[in-house]
Amino acid sequence: MFKEIGETVKPGGLFDLYPPASCRKPWEEIQEDYREMLVKEGERWISYGFPPIHATDYMEFCRTGNRSHYEEKQFERRTVLNALVLAECVEYKGRFLDPILNALFVICGESGWQLPAHNSYIRDTPQFPLPDVTRPVIDLFAAETGAVLAVAEYLLREELAGVSPAVSLMVNHNLETRIFTPYLKEHFWWMGDGESSMNNWTSWCTQNVLLAAFTRPMDGERQKAMVKKACESLDYFLDEYQEDGCCDEGAQYYRHAGLTLFTAMEVLNHISGQAFSPLYREVKIRNIADYIRKAHVAGPYYVNFADCSPVAGRCTAREYLFGKRTGNTGLMAFAAKDYRESQDPLCREEHNLLYRVMGAFLHREIMDFSGEEEAGQDCYFASTGLFIARDQVFCLAVKAGGNGDSHNHNDTGSFTIYKNGLPMFIDVGVESYTKKTFSPRRYEIWTMQSRYHNLAAFGDVMQKDGKEFCASETKYDLGEDESWIQMELAGAYDHEGILSYVRKACLKKGKEIFITDTYEGELGPAVLSLMTYERPALFWESETDHKASEENEAKGRLKIFVGDLGVCRVEGALGVETEEIPITDPRLKMAWKHEIYRTLVTFDRQIALRILP
């Protein structure tokens, strides 16, 4: 798609869709209360001391595996710079220029912009303990740092020149040596080669390189080379998607994948006289844009599998604008409603300055948008095997597919259930990233294992990672009265003793969710894990009360009360126990404010779950 257009266009000029601070009228027309909030946020950081980052901070990842300590220091420098720049752009009194200069000098003085966890030249190879200043690595955050500095310098170019022309020279020199030269001369894996698999890195890095390059004058031939390489990478990125537009990394990563594709398109379109605008009408790109709306459950919650969190973040101006460019008023209405419910319309923690600029200039339009949000529909994404069914009470999601997704967990066949917009049966997500997260020991981490998803284990046998460990014989139907999916899961376990493990999940609209697991094999009783956010109460079913009844226990009839959300009736249980799992990890705490629970239900050949409204 991109390469064909890129070969015909003649890029020229700057990406000046949003004006510099010296162009006062547009900045003064930003909604007054929003401008006041930007100034107030800038004032928080006007005396910020920019703590040093030591070599030993960088080396901590290689030494201990911890990556958060260094990243917190590095990221804060960028968010502080963003806040100061936006405050100066709206106030325009020069009050924030000195701390902005301090931020620019500190960031340009860093030995490497790449994260310690990404400090290598070949994909999936050990990281070097310190950056090599003679051979920069362009990773996600080196590219994003380049974009942050570039947009900051672009917005305040005249004002910085009034202090000293050395400021822009310094920024441009760093962009040249750390971004532009290595981008054109080196091959980093995320650029694509037509054979290796791509992920959000491709569109995310490409977007930021384009932002850095086209916010400043550049030789025409060099511009062509930038556009050509970017277009090739974006095509490789799109090759990973099928027509349904599903992001196999989930809703949280959509914002680093689909939305960064969108920003790259914005840059390319603007510098080429709208030559790339026909791509917004392509079915695949329209579906990529709309994925986030389809994956939404209610409030802050999204359907989540793999590393994705169920709390994937509020919509910003980018989702709204992607909907606008693709002519999707439903997406615009969804994004606008979600944006209005945000507690942080400034996006204070956002690293990318352009995203915040977009928000400033679109804030009034989004707040005033009056389009009606469309009701969520049942859908099946064949590319990933993701099934979503809804009625007025329930949202049922099941992941068929396989265990070879980007940011994979061994979760093929697992389900999540939300009742009245609240999590009933959950997918936990992932803990804070460490060295172990992206290493051969990844699946030693509990959150990655199938026994901590809503799946069965057979003795010590859990699901295996790899795209060959997948569901088969998948069938589904999306109907007015009921929607269902059925799959064979034996192939996800890699054990000859599991002859068959069939799961069927059905939402009977307005009535119930019915899930059955049928097992044939030689490994003895199976143990089904049921993950819940609310504390379960377990009772063997009796007709008169909730005390244990030998007759009903013999029939395996069990009631699981999931907090105050409702009851899950189980038939076929041989035994049951529950365990409490404390939530102490900062990343998990963003979704789960208290402990979670795992209920282990033993069954022989078949077990059935029935969840009533």
Side-chain angles (χ1 to χ4, degrees), residues 43 82 106 199 219 266 309 364 386 444 534 562 607:
E43 288 173 340
N82 293 346
V106 164
N199 58 20
D219 173 79
E266 286 285 275
S309 170
R364 188 190 303 273
L386 177 60
E444 295 176 13
E534 304 303 337
V562 184
I607 192 167

Side-chain angles (χ1 to χ4, degrees), residues 186-230:
E186 295 265 9
H187 180 83
F188 297 98
W189 69 263
W190 53 262
M191 295 174 172
D193 57 12
E195 296 180 4
S196 306
S197 61
M198 299 292 98
N199 58 20
N200 64 75
W201 279 58
T202 304
S203 56
W204 195 354
C205 291
T206 301
Q207 160 209 269
N208 284 315
V209 171
L210 288 172
L211 277 173
F214 287 97
T215 47
R216 59 217 57 257
M218 184 177 290
D219 173 79
E221 290 303 312
R222 213 159 194 229
Q223 285 185 331
K224 287 182 183 179
M226 288 276 187
V227 168
K228 179 181 178 182
K229 196 161 192 176

Side-chain angles (χ1 to χ4, degrees), residues 2 29 112 148 177 187 245 270 276 319 335 340 344 375 397 410 432 436 449 522 549 573 585 591:
F2 283 89
E29 290 177 345
V148 168
T177 57
H187 180 83
H270 191 72
F276 291 84
E319 291 90 341
R340 289 192 287 264
D344 182 24
N410 291 338
S432 299
K436 189 176 182 179
Q449 298 171 359
E522 303 166 355
S549 159
D585 177 77

